[in-house]
Structure formats: structure tokens, C-alpha cells
Amino acid sequence: MSDDTEKILDETLLRHIARRLGTLSLVESVSVFPHERPESVVAWLDLQYFPDTIQQVVFEIRVYTNGDFNITYREERDGTAWMCRWDRHENPHNSRDHFHQPPKARTEDAVDRDFPADFVAVIDSVLEHVDDRVGEVWNNHE
Amino acid sequence: MTSDDTPPTPPSLAEEWTETWEDESTRDRVYTTALQLYDPTRVAAIAERANVSKETARDYLQWFTEIGMLTQTNEAPDEFVRDEDYFQWRRIHRLGGLPVEELEQRLKTEIEKERRYREKYDVEGPDHVDALDHADYADIEDVWSELQEWKTVRRRIEELEQARQNHDNTTQASA
């Protein structure tokens, strides 16, 4: 495994992923390394697919050249956030692959996971989770 | 217009994502996999990830090696790894397309960020920081993530500086 000092942002892979995320119907816009998140690809989901109570749904991705990544999904409503996070990095609290459970995605909310080696497949499993979440927000809303 | 009571049926993100993958050419699938060869990887594993035959994968991998994007680290079994120098060269080349004023502006912004990190952590560089000195257990991931940003800022400063020097050299050469 690569040394952690070689862990640098993988801008090429991120741009590639961003271009493909931008083609999805549920994605309203994608920003690559925006000013306020200079290391991330940020995708805003189209709010027409969410109840009016939700003001913003953001998806944020970072990938590094040692294979590490973190992916955050966040819904904003009236100043409160509902979020979860998929991580791959060495840490003292969990296995290298782990998931920070909603609604707060804190360190103590982490559970071990085993993600696919290929990042395209990782995104696929994350998006499946988001699909389920979209169904859930409507169920909770009614 | 739709109201809350009749939500539009959302298209599945995961299904569309898989479709974009399946629609890609063989070359693009091998390319996407090749981008992620952070560790030396055998052709068989690469072919499986890219969903192509070993022969096809090998052809493209040899081509990517010729242009410098990959390095072949072993023969029989063939193994390939990303060549980071190539990706750095590409980033600098991309920056070279910007006007020199823009490069200088970006350089200023990044240098300012680096100064703020040095003040905040009171050390010369991110490798000198012990995250536990700056956060309790619950926040430690935020500190790690900030140190990662710091490293990226430092790398961007180097690359912007390189791109600016290339600009100067080109200007002098054509003068």
C-alpha cells in the first residue's frame, strides 16, 4: 500500500467522475474544486425530486492517489443537516473502509464496511444508497 | 408544477450511473481503471475491473505506458502502476493555458491559505502536526481533512510556480 505522505488529491480521477455525474438526471449541477471546497467535486441534486421542506441536497467527493476517499451526502432543512459519509482511510476507530451513519455522521457513528476496489463501483453502491434515501424522505414526509 | 403530494418519480441515480459506464468505449473503461492504478496491478485484475478481455486490456495498457501515463513494473505476469510524474506534468500543462495574471492571482490566494495554516497549527508543514494535539477523538477526522487540504495547497503552490516560470521562459524565448 502507498505511503500516506504520497496521499495527494487525485484531480484527474475527480474531473473524470464529475463529468459523468453531470450527465445524471437527478444531478442539477456539478462543480469541480469550487472556491469554498477547493479539494472536492460537489454535486447538487435537483430539488424537484425532494419535498419542499428540503432546501439543499449536496453530494461531495474527494479521492486521493493512495486509493483513499471520502464521500458525503448532506440534506439541509431549516438550518439542520442530515448527513452520512463513506470513507476509506487508515484511522484508530474503524477498518480502513467505513461508513459514518446518519443523521450526524460523527466519528462515533462509524461502522466497518468493505467497499469495492474500483472507485466507479464505489460510487455505484453509494448512489444505490442515495436512491433508497430519496424514497425514504418521501415516506417520512407523508 | 408538482406539489408535495405528487412527487415526480425520481430516476434512479445508480441505474443511470451504470448506464453511463456501460455506454463507455472499451478504451475509456480501461482508461478509467488505469487512472486508479495507485499500486502495481496485474493485467488480469485490470481487465476484470474494466470488463474487457486480458488481450484488449494489455494493448491499451501498453499504449498508456508509451505515452507515459503508466509504468510497467513487472513482466509475466504483467503489472502496471500510475506514473505520478505524468499526472503532475498534465496539471502544470493545464495551468499553462491560463493567462499569467490569473496564475499570479491564484498563487497569491494559495500562499495566503498556506500562511493561515502555518499560523493555525504553529508548525512549518502538515507533516509536523499531531492531529490529536488539535482535536479530541470526535473531531479528529476534521483535522485530518484540513491537513490534507494543506498538503494540496502546498502542491498547488509548487505547480502554479512551475507554470508561471514556464510562461516566463516562453515569453523570453519568443521575444
Side-chain angles (χ1 to χ4, degrees):
Chain A
M1 196 46 62
S2 313
D3 185 336
D4 188 57
T5 55
E6 292 168 28
K7 176 178 171 176
I8 55 170
L9 194 70
D10 190 347
E11 299 187 6
T12 312
L13 182 60
L14 279 167
R15 284 182 199 280
H16 193 70
I17 294 291
R19 190 161 49 76
R20 288 179 49 186
L21 275 178
T23 65
L24 309 181
S25 331
L26 220 69
V27 173
E28 186 172 85
S29 64
V30 181
S31 209
V32 183
F33 315 132
H35 182 66
E36 65 285 4
R37 290 272 183 277
E39 277 198 285
S40 309
V41 159
V42 185
W44 284 268
L45 299 193
D46 189 338
L47 289 179
Q48 71 158 314
Y49 297 109
F50 292 86
D52 286 352
T53 45
I54 295 180
Q55 286 126 13
Q56 195 179 57
V57 184
V58 187
F59 201 62
E60 217 177 284
I61 303 175
R62 295 175 175 206
V63 186
Y64 300 96
T65 57
N66 65 347
D68 282 9
F69 62 76
N70 55 68
I71 304 171
T72 309
Y73 169 88
R74 194 170 58 241
E75 288 164 12
E76 301 282 355
R77 61 190 100 197
D78 299 329
T80 57
W82 185 100
M83 59 189 288
C84 55
R85 173 171 160 164
W86 294 259
D87 278 8
R88 172 176 286 158
H89 63 91
E90 295 302 337
N91 66 84
H93 57 74
N94 280 88
S95 66
R96 185 159 178 254
D97 285 4
H98 57 278
F99 174 64
H100 293 263
Q101 300 191 93
K104 293 194 172 157
R106 292 165 305 196
T107 299
E108 60 261 39
D109 299 324
V111 288
D112 290 355
R113 283 289 156 87
D114 198 5
F115 301 123
D118 196 278
F119 195 66
V120 174
V122 171
I123 298 277
D124 189 49
S125 69
V126 166
L127 292 180
E128 271 178 29
H129 199 98
V130 175
D131 281 335
D132 291 346
R133 174 61 188 165
V134 177
E136 199 178 289
V137 290
W138 283 109
N139 288 339
N140 294 347
H141 181 70
E142 281 154 11
Chain B
M1 257 334 270
T2 51
S3 76
D4 275 5
D5 302 314
T6 55
T9 310
S12 160
L13 281 160
E15 269 174 37
E16 286 191 354
W17 180 257
T18 309
E19 280 165 24
T20 69
W21 176 241
E22 286 165 354
D23 289 349
E24 291 223 338
S25 66
T26 310
R27 184 197 61 188
D28 282 350
R29 290 209 303 277
V30 181
Y31 173 75
T32 310
T33 311
L35 282 182
Q36 304 174 58
L37 302 181
Y38 308 121
D39 295 302
T41 311
R42 287 189 183 193
V43 171
I46 298 167
E48 196 186 324
R49 279 168 68 174
N51 193 23
V52 299
S53 72
K54 261 172 77 171
E55 291 66 35
T56 306
R58 188 176 282 111
D59 282 352
Y60 283 117
L61 293 166
Q62 278 164 355
W63 175 30
F64 295 152
T65 302
E66 264 171 50
I67 61 170
M69 185 181 133
L70 299 177
T71 304
Q72 184 162 0
T73 48
N74 195 42
E75 284 181 41
D78 292 5
E79 284 184 357
F80 294 86
V81 71
R82 254 171 73 123
D83 188 332
E84 291 308 327
D85 290 346
Y86 170 85
F87 289 93
Q88 184 179 43
W89 170 81
R90 239 169 69 162
R91 287 192 299 270
I92 294 170
H93 183 73
R94 177 188 275 269
L95 291 171
L98 298 172
V100 74
E101 296 74 22
E102 168 78 21
L103 287 177
E104 280 167 358
Q105 189 51 48
R106 287 196 193 187
L107 204 48
K108 241 168 99 177
T109 313
E110 298 298 321
I111 288 170
E112 178 56 25
K113 280 190 207 163
E114 142 91 335
R115 191 185 61 78
R116 283 205 303 269
Y117 280 130
R118 254 187 288 134
E119 279 176 11
K120 177 169 178 183
Y121 289 100
D122 197 25
V123 288
E124 281 308 300
D127 292 333
H128 300 283
V129 178
D130 181 349
L132 282 168
D133 290 345
H134 294 273
D136 53 28
Y137 182 74
D139 303 321
I140 197 159
E141 291 187 285
D142 294 335
V143 178
W144 280 338
S145 148
E146 199 162 82
L147 295 177
Q148 216 49 62
E149 273 168 29
W150 189 357
K151 284 185 191 176
T152 304
V153 164
R154 283 161 74 105
R155 190 191 71 187
R156 284 183 175 154
I157 290 173
E158 272 176 37
E159 292 175 355
L160 283 162
E161 189 55 57
Q162 185 65 52
R164 186 172 67 163
Q165 281 174 19
N166 293 351
H167 241 289
D168 287 353
N169 293 341
T170 319
T171 319
Q172 279 165 12
S174 61

